[in-house]
């Protein structure tokens, strides 16, 4: 409509109005960016030549990770917020690239598990193929225990509990997950650490390979 009427776009996004569609969690009046699968390719083409603000994701320069432990088999780092775990299309620096630059003599797989770009925390990387195979087996068997800390913009009154919902890939908004009746089981335990004004600091314990997604946190 904007192009047919010679209008100049200021931004591209959507505000969801009304009830949530089946299989998703949408909030009336909430802001959602354009989807990656349909909107992004079209908007990328349509906005060529326009005077628009630069993509902030392309300008992310994460700090160097801090080495917490290292021996001949593995290195454990504190991955900073903004750093990818593995190489992506955005060009943002990744822990995988950091490892390749620091240990150029090793040409095998190093990444054993991943953290989201916006999530800071401990990342374990293997320095040889034997260590990678052993560490990977430990994560697959879930003998490795993981927990995440989140600060929620709400006061959660239930001190502890379990979130169990079926989840699957949201194909229109990769790599996000969505709640769906035909999804796989996703179970996460939680406990409240403390309150900070109207915020609640919570520790999450994922019990399956699929963790609670951002939409579930909004509803939590």
């Amino acid at each position: 409509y904007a192009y047919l009427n010679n209008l100049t776009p200021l931004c591209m996004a959507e505000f969801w109005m009304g009830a949530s569609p089946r299989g998703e969690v949408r909030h009336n009046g909430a802001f959602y960016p354009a989807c990656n699968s349909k909107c992004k390719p079209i908007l990328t083409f349509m906005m060529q030549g326009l005077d628009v603000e630069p993509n902030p994701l392309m300008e992310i320069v994460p700090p160097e990770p801090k080495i917490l432990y290292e021996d001949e088999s593995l290195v454990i780092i504190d991955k900073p917020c903004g750093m990818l775990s593995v190489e992506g299309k955005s060009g943002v620096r990744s822990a995988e690239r950091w490892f390749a630059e620091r240990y150029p003599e090793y040409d095998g797989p190093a990444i054993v598990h991943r953290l989201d770009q916006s999530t800071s925390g401990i990342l374990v990387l293997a320095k040889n193929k034997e260590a990678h195979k052993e560490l990977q087996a430990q994560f697959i068997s879930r003998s490795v225990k993981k927990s995440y800390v989140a600060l929620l913009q709400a006061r959660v009154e239930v001190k502890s509990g379990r979130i169990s919902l079926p989840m699957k890939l949201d194909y229109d908004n990769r790599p996000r997950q969505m709640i769906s009746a035909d999804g796989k089981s996703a179970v996460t335990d939680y406990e409240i650490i403390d309150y900070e004004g109207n915020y609640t600091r919570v520790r999450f314990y994922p019990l399956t390979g699929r963790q609670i997604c951002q939409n579930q946190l909004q509803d939590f």
Side-chain angles (χ1 to χ4, degrees):
Y1 179 88
Y3 279 82
L4 289 175
N5 292 273
N6 296 317
L7 301 178
T8 301
L10 299 177
C11 61
M12 297 291 182
E14 68 176 6
F15 286 87
W16 187 267
M17 305 303 294
S20 174
R22 183 178 180 182
E24 290 194 43
V25 177
R26 297 280 183 174
H27 299 270
N28 182 50
F31 164 83
Y32 296 93
C35 69
N36 288 323
S37 62
K38 299 176 182 178
C39 301
K40 184 177 180 179
I42 296 174
L43 294 178
T44 301
F45 173 78
M46 293 178 67
M47 297 179 74
Q48 291 181 17
L50 295 180
D51 183 19
V52 297
E53 295 180 1
N55 184 352
L57 295 178
M58 299 298 292
E59 299 179 344
I60 295 177
V61 182
E64 288 290 293
K66 179 182 179 181
I67 296 178
L68 304 177
Y69 174 83
E70 183 175 10
D71 59 24
E72 67 278 3
S73 298
L74 55 85
V75 56
I76 300 175
I77 64 172
D78 182 0
K79 186 192 81 67
C81 173
M83 174 174 275
L84 294 167
S85 292
V86 298
E87 285 294 280
K89 296 181 180 179
S90 66
V92 175
R93 186 169 173 77
S94 68
E96 186 176 38
R97 189 193 309 174
W98 171 87
F99 181 91
E101 294 171 353
R102 186 176 179 88
Y103 309 96
E105 69 281 359
Y106 176 53
D107 60 356
I111 301 298
V112 180
H113 65 114
R114 304 183 185 188
L115 293 174
D116 291 341
Q117 181 178 2
S118 58
T119 301
S120 62
I122 295 175
L123 201 63
V124 181
L125 301 100
K127 296 173 65 176
N128 57 63
K129 294 179 180 179
E130 293 76 16
H132 183 270
K133 182 178 179 180
E134 176 60 30
L135 289 168
Q136 200 171 49
Q138 292 181 35
F139 275 91
I140 292 174
S141 65
R142 297 176 189 167
S143 60
V144 177
K145 305 301 180 183
K146 298 185 292 184
S147 68
Y148 296 82
V149 175
L151 186 63
L152 306 185
Q153 193 175 3
R155 284 188 65 87
V156 180
E157 301 302 332
V158 182
K159 301 299 181 181
S160 62
R162 173 169 293 183
I163 303 171
S164 179
L165 292 167
M167 293 174 56
K168 71 175 184 180
L169 179 66
D170 186 345
Y171 295 101
D172 290 335
N173 296 284
R174 296 172 182 265
R176 288 179 53 196
Q177 300 282 310
M178 62 184 289
I179 301 167
S180 178
D182 60 345
K184 295 182 179 180
S185 173
V187 182
T188 301
D189 286 344
Y190 72 89
E191 62 179 1
I192 292 176
I193 300 175
D194 57 24
Y195 295 101
E196 301 177 21
N198 291 324
Y199 293 79
T200 306
R201 192 173 295 277
V202 181
R203 185 178 295 276
F204 293 99
Y205 301 92
L207 303 181
T208 61
R210 291 158 294 279
Q211 300 161 28
I212 57 174
C213 62
Q214 182 180 3
N215 283 339
Q216 287 172 261
L217 282 179
Q218 291 172 350
D219 261 13
F220 176 67

